[in-house]
């Protein structure tokens, strides 16, 4: 018996072609609450993310530290089966190939005063283990995340000023004091202020963060957005793997589902993040990749195979699978391969 969660109701990789005008993208299968888009054709277009809590027209750029901007002609609305784009070249250059990654939270969310942060809005989907949180931060504050369980991954970004994108992943990365920067090829950094101030780890209801970590001194305030994830059997898998430099017999990473999207990073320095999905790579070997920390378009080169129960590395270099090196990953399902009792089913 298949696991109860149907991945396609909560995550979808969707390709589209730009038209330089109003462009209604359909076929996502649900109304997304977090959409990430990238021009695949050109190497000079930034990654762009927007969400239903901040509003569709509020744009941030994963490969940049830039503050949030309002762009009325970029992503204009989240719709019942996708989203509508305006004419802006950041999302809809005519005749160019684009990819979007779409997650379902809980719409625009609702106010939550259960932590010490102010102006908090939480849009949480506990079935999918995903929430979007906005909050006004000053010094050390506690922030509700709405997941009902301790998050496995938190991604944070300041909206008002130029700040890093920071990713914490608890024990996966060796503790909540360890973090990676999404906009950078830098390696793991030890700084407890982001998600572990005063040695206070996230709980099933709250996480703590120190505003000073985001580059603002004194008593300045900063409006933040956080994307929080809890691993859900049959839908998402977050972890770390070790490479073996064995080419076509590289490391196999069990997920319990066929991945739709994999985001990965060597936890050392000087190597880019990478993203592979089944929309751009419908068959093995998956070789079209994008780099979340760079504006480059699709790059080709054998990387990995996606199977019904996980993925296997084909590239044994430092960026993807060198012997003894460690890699952080986030994977989201196209189709589950587990039973309702969490016992793995047979691979197809």
């Amino acid at each position: 018996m298949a696991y109860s969660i149907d991945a396609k109701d909560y995550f979808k990789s969707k390709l589209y072609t730009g038209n330089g005008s109003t462009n209604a993208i359909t076929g996502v299968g649900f109304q997304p609450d977090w959409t990430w888009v990238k021009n695949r054709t050109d190497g000079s277009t930034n990654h762009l993310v927007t969400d239903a809590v901040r509003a569709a027209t509020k744009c941030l750029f994963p490969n940049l530290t830039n503050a949030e901007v309002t762009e009325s002609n970029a992503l204009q609305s989240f719709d019942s089966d996708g989203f509508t784009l305006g004419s802006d070249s950041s999302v809809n250059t005519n005749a160019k190939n684009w990819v979007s990654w779409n997650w379902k939270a809980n719409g625009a969310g609702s106010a939550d005063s259960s932590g010490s942060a102010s102006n908090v809005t939480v849009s949480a989907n506990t079935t999918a283990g995903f929430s979007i949180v906005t909050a006004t931060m000053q010094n050390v504050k506690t922030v509700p995340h709405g997941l009902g369980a301790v998050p496995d991954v938190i991604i944070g970004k300041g909206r008002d000023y130029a700040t890093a994108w920071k990713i914490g992943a608890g024990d996966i990365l060796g503790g909540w004091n360890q973090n990676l920067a999404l906009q950078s090829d830098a390696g793991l950094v030890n700084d407890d202020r982001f998600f572990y101030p005063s040695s206070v780890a996230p709980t099933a209801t709250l996480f703590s963060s120190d505003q000073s970590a985001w580059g603002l001194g004194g008593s300045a305030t900063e409006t933040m957005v956080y994307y929080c994830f809890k691993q859900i059997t049959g839908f998402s898998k977050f972890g770390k793997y070790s490479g073996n430099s064995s080419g076509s017999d590289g490391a196999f990473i069990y997920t319990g589902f066929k991945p739709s999207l994999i985001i990965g990073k060597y936890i050392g320095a000087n190597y880019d993040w990478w993203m592979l999905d089944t929309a751009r790579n419908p068959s093995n070997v998956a070789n079209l990749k994008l780099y979340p920390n760079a504006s480059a378009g699709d790059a080709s080169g054998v990387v990995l195979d996606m199977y019904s129960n996980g993925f296997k590395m084909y590239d044994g270099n430092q960026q993807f699978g060198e012997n003894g090196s460690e890699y952080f990953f986030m994977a989201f399902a196209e189709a589950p391969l587990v039973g309702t009792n969490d016992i793995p089913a047979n691979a197809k």
Side-chain angles (χ1 to χ4, degrees):
M1 183 182 297
Y3 192 66
S4 58
I5 188 169
D6 192 340
K8 71 178 184 298
D9 292 336
Y10 303 100
F11 175 79
K12 176 76 170 182
S13 301
K14 175 66 179 176
L15 305 180
Y16 66 92
T17 302
N19 66 6
S21 183
T22 302
N23 196 357
I25 308 303
T26 60
V28 172
F30 55 86
Q31 182 167 318
D33 296 313
W34 185 34
T35 294
W36 179 337
V37 302
K38 179 68 180 79
N39 185 333
R40 304 172 54 201
T41 310
D42 294 340
S44 58
T45 306
N46 296 313
H47 291 257
L48 184 148
V49 298
T50 185
D51 61 68
V53 177
R54 293 182 297 122
T57 58
K58 305 292 186 180
C59 305
L60 287 167
F61 309 96
N63 59 302
L64 302 174
T65 60
N66 292 27
E68 179 182 278
V69 299
T70 301
E71 179 50 72
S72 61
N73 285 316
L75 199 149
Q76 297 180 317
S77 65
F78 295 106
D79 308 326
S80 61
D81 189 30
F83 50 90
T84 296
L85 304 170
S87 60
D88 196 84
S89 61
S90 64
V91 295
N92 192 24
T93 308
N94 186 45
K96 302 299 183 180
N97 296 320
W98 296 78
V99 60
S100 68
W101 303 283
N102 303 273
W103 286 261
K104 181 66 178 172
N106 190 23
S110 57
D112 190 327
S113 59
S114 60
S116 60
S118 58
N119 304 317
V120 177
T121 300
V122 179
S123 174
N125 187 325
T126 56
T127 301
F130 173 57
S131 68
I132 305 165
V133 182
T134 59
T136 300
M137 302 292 288
Q138 185 179 39
N139 303 315
V140 178
K141 300 293 183 183
T142 56
V143 185
H145 53 71
L147 294 178
V150 178
D152 293 302
V153 177
I154 302 174
I155 304 174
K157 173 72 175 76
R159 300 170 59 189
D160 303 326
Y161 304 95
T163 71
W165 289 81
K166 283 294 183 174
I167 299 180
D171 291 341
I172 296 171
L173 293 178
W176 283 103
N177 60 319
Q178 305 293 312
N179 56 81
L180 292 165
L182 182 60
Q183 83 288 343
S184 170
D185 65 1
L188 203 62
V189 173
N190 185 340
D191 190 334
D192 60 9
R193 297 175 299 162
F194 291 100
F195 305 111
Y196 194 55
S198 302
S199 301
V200 177
T203 71
T205 55
L206 302 168
F207 65 90
S208 299
S209 188
D210 183 347
Q211 163 270 338
S212 71
W214 308 92
L216 302 176
S219 59
T221 61
E222 171 77 349
T223 305
M224 300 292 302
V225 63
Y226 302 97
Y227 302 106
C228 306
F229 300 86
K230 176 63 182 176
Q231 183 171 292
I232 300 295
T233 304
F235 174 70
S236 57
K237 181 76 172 179
F238 316 120
K240 189 168 64 174
Y241 67 89
S242 296
N244 65 11
S245 296
S246 295
S248 61
D249 193 25
F252 174 76
I253 297 88
Y254 177 80
T255 60
F257 53 78
K258 181 180 180 180
S260 176
L261 170 68
I262 305 167
I263 305 171
K265 170 77 171 78
Y266 166 55
I267 65 172
N270 302 319
Y271 287 89
D272 292 322
W273 289 82
W274 45 268
M275 304 175 79
L276 293 103
D277 57 71
T278 53
R280 290 176 298 137
N281 297 281
S283 60
N284 291 323
V285 176
N287 64 356
L288 289 178
K289 51 190 175 290
L290 286 162
Y291 305 118
N293 59 295
S295 62
D298 271 340
S300 62
V302 172
V303 178
L304 55 80
D305 273 346
M306 298 188 200
Y307 297 120
S308 58
N309 60 349
F311 60 97
K312 184 177 183 180
M313 306 309 298
Y314 264 63
D315 192 320
N317 72 21
Q318 187 78 65
Q319 186 176 13
F320 301 101
E322 185 175 72
N323 187 43
S325 293
E326 294 187 315
Y327 302 83
F328 169 68
F329 74 91
M330 301 176 68
F332 298 91
E334 179 177 286
L337 190 72
V338 295
T340 53
N341 57 359
D342 285 2
I343 297 176
N346 293 325
K348 294 180 180 178

